[in-house]
């Protein structure tokens, strides 16, 4: 069984994944895979540099994420082009990683992806778990974590699927606005349920 884990930026997806991992559940992080496909030497990085020029590359040849982020948030059509280049490659690698973990005998596996619904990756999973926090908390965490101002944080949140729509598409929801103890209790309960479901499949 594959559980897709998603949520808006700074909702705590990685924190939740680590809590599941502590209970013996492995995960594939779509963000990690997205970084893999734009490493130096990868075809996607060459295509990005060819389209946007040297400003999207750092001195060591790696992707300049900040420069690319500014380009695609300023121009939605460029974001669509970028997704057309990266998403098929990301999907292919995610499938390979998930298959490897399943073959190793995990009770179930997680696919952690901020774009689970937007990218169509929700079709790859059996259940969708949304990590939810109020937008005010999202904005504060984003500004602090990513060293962006309030306007940039708002633009990033606005570019994502609306919170209400994400919640409407969830099979399960974790409220991550509380403390660590509260989060651990919610994860433990879902882990129990998922193991029961996986045993029946």
């Amino acid at each position: 069984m594959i559980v897709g884990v998603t949520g808006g930026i700074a909702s705590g997806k990685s924190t939740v994944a680590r809590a599941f991992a502590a209970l013996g559940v492995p995960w594939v992080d779509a963000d990690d895979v997205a970084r893999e496909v734009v490493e130096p030497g990868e075809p996607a990085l060459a295509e990005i540099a060819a389209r946007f020029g040297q400003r999207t590359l750092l001195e060591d040849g790696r992707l300049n994420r900040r420069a690319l982020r500014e380009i695609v948030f300023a121009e939605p059509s460029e974001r669509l082009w970028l997704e057309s280049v990266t998403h098929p490659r990301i999907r292919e690698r995610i499938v390979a990683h998930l298959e490897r973990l399943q073959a190793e005998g995990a009770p179930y596996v997680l696919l952690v992806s901020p774009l689970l619904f937007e990218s169509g990756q929700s079709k790859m999973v059996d259940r969708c778990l949304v990590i939810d926090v109020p937008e005010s908390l999202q904005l504060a965490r984003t500004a602090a974590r990513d060293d962006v101002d309030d306007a940039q944080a708002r633009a990033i949140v606005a570019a994502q699927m609306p919170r209400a729509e994400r919640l409407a598409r969830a099979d399960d929801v974790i409220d991550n606005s509380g403390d660590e103890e509260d989060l651990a209790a919610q994860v433990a309960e879902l882990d129990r349920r998922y193991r029961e479901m996986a045993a029946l499949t």
Side-chain angles (χ1 to χ4, degrees):
M1 187 171 87
I2 302 169
V3 178
V5 179
T6 194
I9 189 168
S11 57
K13 296 176 290 294
S14 296
T15 302
V16 168
R18 285 192 293 271
F20 275 102
L23 300 173
V25 181
W27 88 87
V28 174
D29 188 320
D31 275 351
D32 288 346
V33 178
R35 281 188 280 274
E36 283 176 25
V37 303
V38 292
E39 286 289 313
E42 291 284 347
L45 182 61
E47 289 184 43
I48 291 166
R51 186 174 182 95
F52 301 123
Q54 289 300 306
R55 63 184 168 151
T56 54
L57 295 178
L58 298 169
E59 284 183 14
D60 63 1
R62 303 176 79 81
L63 181 65
N64 183 334
R65 296 181 181 283
R66 184 179 283 265
L68 184 62
R69 187 166 59 210
E70 286 170 3
I71 292 167
V72 299
F73 276 118
E75 186 50 66
S77 64
E78 298 294 10
R79 186 170 58 131
L80 292 174
W81 176 85
L82 180 65
E83 289 171 356
S84 75
V85 167
T86 58
H87 283 188
R89 292 177 168 113
I90 292 167
R91 182 185 179 87
E92 193 176 291
R93 294 221 187 162
I94 285 172
V95 169
H97 288 315
L98 288 170
E99 287 176 349
R100 177 179 52 78
L101 292 174
Q102 288 169 316
E104 290 171 2
Y108 63 95
V109 296
L110 305 180
L111 169 57
V112 182
S113 174
L115 298 174
L116 188 75
F117 298 125
E118 296 92 327
S119 66
Q121 291 169 359
S122 55
K123 297 187 183 82
M124 301 165 64
V125 305
D126 301 295
R127 291 188 75 79
C128 296
L129 168 60
V130 168
I131 315 307
D132 185 54
V133 295
E135 191 173 290
S136 58
L137 191 53
Q138 254 190 305
L139 291 169
R141 287 180 180 173
T142 301
R145 187 190 73 182
D146 294 350
D147 189 29
V148 295
D149 62 26
D150 185 62
Q152 277 184 296
R154 287 183 183 280
I156 292 168
V157 170
Q160 296 188 325
M161 178 178 284
R163 180 185 178 197
E165 186 180 344
R166 201 163 37 235
L167 288 169
R169 296 176 66 171
D171 296 304
D172 307 295
V173 177
I174 281 180
D175 175 2
N176 193 22
S177 59
D179 59 21
E180 284 182 32
E181 198 173 304
D182 180 47
L183 179 64
Q186 292 181 75
V187 169
E189 173 57 23
L190 278 174
D191 177 63
R192 184 188 62 75
R193 282 177 44 206
Y194 290 157
R195 286 173 188 268
E196 286 178 0
M197 289 177 194
L200 298 173
T201 56

